[in-house]
Amino acid sequence: MTRGRRGFTLIELLIVTVLGSLVVLASIQVLLVNRRVYTAQAATISGQQTTRMGIEILFAELREVSASGGDILEMSADSLRVRLMRKFSIVCATDFSTPPSVTVIRDFLLNNGDTLYIMGGTNRFAQSDSVFIFADNRENTMNDDVWIGAEISLVDPTVTCPQDGDPALKLEFNGQGALFAADSVGVGAAVRSFEKFTFGTTTMNGDVYLARRDTASYVPMTGPLAPTDGLAFVYRDAMGNVTNVETDVAQIEVTLRTGSGVLNSLGRMVQDSVQVWIHTRN
Amino acid sequence: MHMRNQRGFAMPAAIGALVLIGVLMTAGFYLSQQELRIGVASKNANMAVNIAQAGANEVLGNWNGYQLGNIAVWSDTTITDTIANGIWEVSIANGNNYVYFLNATGTVTDGGVRWAGAKRTIGIVTKMIFADINPPAALTTRGKTEIKGGAIVNGTHLTPPAWSPYCTAFSTSDTTGVLTNDTSIIGTSGGGSVAGAPAYDQDSTIVDSTFTNFGDMVWAELTALAAAEGKDVSSLRPTINGTAPDTTASGACNEATLTNWGDTLPTAACGAYFPLIYANGDVTIQSGGQGQGILLVDGNLDLRGDFLFYGLIVVQGNFETQGSGNRIVGAVMASNASVDQQTVTGTSEVTYSRCTVQRAILNNASLSRARPVAQRSWIDLTAVAN
């Protein structure tokens, strides 16, 4: 007896092959489109992250700048050199014999039980730190107040504040007695350390990055930026007018542009840009 | 007829494609979610800074000398408020009575459990700007002045009992007992005495304006401020009896009461209340009582006994005392424009205290304001602390 076994006919195979090919081609097409969209989206997101990070870095760094206090050292359309405020504390004792010194609190225990970690972590004053110390001078006027610039020659971490016995740091300023001769630094005065940095761009592996340097080479921070106009600064005074006088700057207009080799679905280069006005707080 | 399983590859290919598409879409959604989270976190971080700034601005803009002026040196107090998108908490630390440090934390509550919680802290170094009122002696006056009975005018500085924590930053230097335009007309008799460094001194530059011009402020401005504060007590003239602290039902200081001139005990409800008080003519204060702040009298002032006052008294007419127990700790400036004879008698005492005068100024919201110091007042403490 012959069993009812049948193979595919040629027609069936051809139909299946054609249909299968159509499905595979359609799938490949969908995958290709998806990949292109995904790549473009990834480039867009990357650009947004770059601009956001760059703006947040610049915003955090520049908003404490005091233009009237001389913190803007050099400024141009694509770079900016400034004094950046870093550490902070409050004077709890002074000694203006030789060498002059101020004792500053490490952390401040508030009456509500919270601790004001003004020098928590590793962010403590150290030898060779450049600092500004507030001199109140006459109590009932601000006209004669100054910030005395000095450099810490020695830090003694074994001292305490006389008011409450809390741990403190004694900052000595050896050989700098003349700085303290004319102005009055008292208990309650603020002390701030600072560093000098330049913000600009640098090229690495052919890409342009937002970068920062002290006296050495630029260190990239975020990017890549657009090759030609990735970073731009415009300086404005309190009235919003463009100024080229460092001490008049009240607002810094920052523009960051990113660029990539990726094309979007319309065949255009994926790019992004952000512009912010940083109003200096000091 | 039995058919064997017939397998093609179209279905697996389609399923594979669908899985791949699904994976890509999931990855896309995940990336979008991450991007959203990063964006919201960034926005909320900035919002937290702005909330902290709003708190600091609120405290600075409405600097309450009565409340904040009573923070002991090297101590602090905290004020909290809830606003549209979050909560701010501002701790005000007293550095030296002139320089205060504001530590403001903003917390975002907007967005529910998923998005809320961003917190940032800023610091602001502030300085008090205040009226320049500096009485040069325990009693500054003109004309013939008799100190007699058991009365004493003393230029030796005194920090009142229980005031030490609030006085550490002020000068404790002694000053002149009686400063006048002509010391030859200062007399003591009986048990009356004058002490100080020196006890008497003469200043020929004492004129009318000595008693009306105080730095940038003049008499009319001071009296207007007193009226604005609600402490024009002219309606109580000519005799004011028994000034005393007054509290509301909730125990708060009742500043609306005309005879409430504060409490000389710093920890009491009215202990931080230092009013600017004005009377537009002659005043007799009797039946005891107490007060603190700055008392401005546009006429003669006569203290009839058991009146305790911490701060500054400025009298455009004569300053006289009688009876027992009158005690002024601070300073008295009596113009005595008509150069009548003034008599400080009874067991009255006028003792110089720089602290009481300075607190009367710094704790008064009309006479003092806190302002951020120039150039480097603003600090991102979130960044500093880490």
Side-chain angles (χ1 to χ4, degrees):
Chain A
M1 186 176 72
T2 303
R3 296 181 67 180
R5 294 183 175 176
R6 291 180 58 198
F8 292 112
T9 65
L10 182 60
I11 298 297
E12 286 173 334
L13 280 172
L14 284 172
I15 291 170
V16 165
T17 303
V18 168
L19 287 175
S21 299
L22 286 175
V23 168
V24 168
L25 285 173
S27 299
I28 289 171
Q29 187 62 29
V30 167
L31 285 172
L32 286 174
V33 170
N34 272 343
R35 196 181 70 170
R36 195 181 305 144
V37 170
Y38 175 82
T39 305
Q41 283 180 338
T44 302
I45 290 170
S46 173
Q48 287 173 346
Q49 286 175 339
T50 295
T51 53
R52 180 187 298 125
M53 186 182 296
I55 288 298
E56 286 189 355
I57 290 170
L58 292 172
F59 188 74
E61 293 280 40
L62 298 180
R63 65 183 167 186
E64 283 193 56
V65 162
S66 171
S68 64
D71 287 350
I72 295 180
L73 305 170
E74 295 167 25
M75 60 189 202
S76 69
D78 58 5
S79 73
L80 173 61
R81 184 161 180 79
V82 287
R83 277 195 295 240
L84 298 177
M85 295 301 118
R86 291 293 185 238
K87 304 164 191 175
F88 164 76
S89 190
I90 299 170
V91 172
C92 65
T94 60
D95 178 2
F96 295 114
S97 56
T98 303
S101 67
V102 296
T103 301
V104 297
I105 59 173
R106 287 193 197 173
D107 298 317
F108 198 96
L109 181 62
L110 299 169
N111 283 340
N112 66 1
D114 293 344
T115 301
L116 172 56
Y117 293 104
I118 59 175
M119 281 202 290
T122 57
N123 209 15
R124 293 183 174 163
F125 288 102
Q127 187 174 335
S128 300
D129 275 358
S130 296
V131 296
F132 281 117
I133 306 170
F134 181 66
D136 193 8
N137 290 320
R138 283 182 298 156
E139 292 150 347
N140 63 344
T141 179
M142 300 178 85
N143 295 336
D144 60 358
D145 295 348
V146 294
W147 290 85
I148 299 170
E151 183 177 317
I152 298 172
S153 58
L154 189 67
V155 176
D156 180 356
T158 64
V159 299
T160 58
C161 281
Q163 291 86 350
D164 47 21
D166 281 351
L169 298 176
K170 183 179 180 183
L171 314 179
E172 287 188 7
F173 303 94
N174 199 12
Q176 300 168 73
L179 296 172
F180 300 93
D183 296 298
S184 169
V185 174
V187 171
V191 182
R192 304 226 57 188
S193 74
F194 65 89
E195 296 173 300
K196 295 176 183 176
F197 280 106
T198 302
F199 293 98
T201 56
T202 189
T203 302
M204 189 172 67
N205 299 328
D207 288 324
V208 176
Y209 287 82
L210 175 65
R212 190 184 76 173
R213 67 176 168 84
D214 45 16
T215 54
S217 305
Y218 273 117
V219 175
M221 294 190 294
T222 186
L225 302 177
T228 54
D229 54 356
L231 171 66
F233 293 108
V234 175
Y235 309 95
R236 299 179 185 276
D237 61 20
M239 303 302 292
N241 300 317
V242 175
T243 181
N244 57 6
V245 180
E246 283 89 345
T247 52
D248 286 349
V249 174
Q251 305 161 55
I252 303 171
E253 182 185 319
V254 182
T255 305
L256 279 182
R257 293 184 184 85
T258 60
S260 70
V262 177
L263 301 179
N264 64 17
S265 57
L266 299 175
R268 293 176 183 156
M269 192 81 76
V270 173
Q271 289 183 312
D272 206 346
S273 66
V274 172
Q275 185 178 75
V276 295
W277 288 33
I278 300 171
H279 293 249
T280 56
R281 306 277 180 143
N282 289 316
Chain B
M1 183 175 69
H2 177 73
M3 296 288 288
R4 293 185 65 190
N5 287 338
Q6 297 177 12
R7 297 188 176 184
F9 59 89
M11 185 60 77
I15 290 172
L18 285 171
V19 168
L20 270 174
I21 292 167
V23 167
L24 282 172
M25 287 180 68
T26 305
F29 275 120
Y30 178 75
L31 281 174
S32 299
Q33 278 293 307
Q34 289 297 98
E35 186 65 13
L36 177 66
R37 284 175 182 275
I38 293 167
V40 171
S42 176
K43 184 198 80 169
N44 283 0
N46 286 327
M47 188 187 289
V49 171
N50 290 335
I51 291 169
Q53 185 72 59
N57 290 348
E58 181 73 16
V59 171
L60 281 173
N62 300 288
W63 188 261
N64 185 338
Y66 299 149
Q67 180 186 359
L68 304 179
N70 216 34
I71 304 170
V73 174
W74 216 251
S75 187
D76 64 277
T77 192
T78 300
I79 300 173
T80 301
D81 197 10
T82 300
I83 58 176
N85 299 310
I87 297 170
W88 56 256
E89 182 179 278
V90 180
S91 295
I92 305 114
N94 183 354
N96 64 8
N97 277 339
Y98 300 108
V99 176
Y100 287 77
F101 179 66
L102 270 57
N103 167 46
T105 299
T107 305
V108 175
T109 56
D110 212 17
V113 176
R114 187 176 185 194
W115 301 113
K119 182 184 281 194
R120 291 292 184 276
T121 303
I122 64 168
I124 298 181
V125 182
T126 67
K127 175 177 175 172
M128 299 299 298
I129 302 299
F130 54 92
D132 187 13
I133 302 174
N134 291 299
L139 174 60
T140 307
T141 189
R142 292 181 295 184
K144 185 170 176 59
T145 304
E146 282 280 326
I147 316 294
K148 60 185 187 180
I152 179 170
V153 178
N154 192 347
T156 305
H157 173 85
L158 175 71
T159 296
W163 278 45
S164 297
Y166 311 96
C167 294
T168 56
F170 299 123
S171 168
T172 56
S173 300
D174 300 336
T175 190
T176 309
V178 177
L179 181 67
T180 177
N181 58 342
D182 183 359
T183 52
S184 68
I185 52 178
I186 303 295
T188 57
S189 62
S193 65
V194 178
Y200 303 96
D201 205 358
Q202 182 170 309
D203 182 355
S204 59
T205 65
I206 295 177
V207 292
D208 286 353
S209 62
T210 305
F211 304 91
T212 55
N213 293 4
F214 305 95
D216 295 333
M217 303 192 82
V218 297
W219 181 259
E221 289 174 303
L222 287 172
T223 58
L225 287 172
E229 281 185 30
K231 271 296 180 286
D232 183 341
V233 298
S234 303
S235 61
L236 302 178
R237 288 196 312 114
T239 303
I240 299 175
N241 294 302
T243 59
D246 185 36
T247 55
T248 63
S250 64
C253 184
N254 187 359
E255 298 169 7
T257 304
L258 276 182
T259 52
N260 177 5
W261 296 2
D263 194 325
T264 55
L265 181 64
T267 53
C270 294
Y273 179 44
F274 288 81
L276 190 57
I277 310 151
Y278 172 59
N280 64 357
D282 296 347
V283 172
T284 297
I285 298 177
Q286 62 182 21
S287 304
Q290 66 160 302
Q292 61 185 6
I294 297 178
L295 173 59
L296 309 169
V297 179
D298 220 346
N300 301 322
L301 175 64
D302 188 1
L303 305 181
R304 292 286 176 87
D306 291 326
F307 179 66
L308 174 65
F309 192 84
Y310 286 179
L312 175 66
I313 296 176
V314 185
V315 183
Q316 294 305 324
N318 296 345
F319 171 67
E320 303 216 346
T321 70
Q322 51 189 298
S324 63
N326 292 309
R327 188 157 185 253
I328 312 300
V329 180
V332 175
M333 300 179 74
S335 176
N336 192 14
S338 57
V339 202
D340 299 333
Q341 176 167 327
Q342 300 176 117
T343 306
V344 179
T345 186
T347 55
S348 300
E349 177 185 329
V350 177
T351 303
Y352 176 77
S353 173
R354 183 69 204 161
C355 176
T356 63
V357 173
Q358 204 64 9
R359 287 197 76 209
I361 298 166
L362 289 171
N363 289 27
N364 185 288
S366 302
L367 300 177
S368 61
R369 283 281 185 278
R371 289 285 176 268
V373 300
Q375 297 177 354
R376 293 183 181 86
S377 63
W378 197 93
I379 304 146
D380 180 355
L381 281 176
T382 304
V384 165
N386 292 321

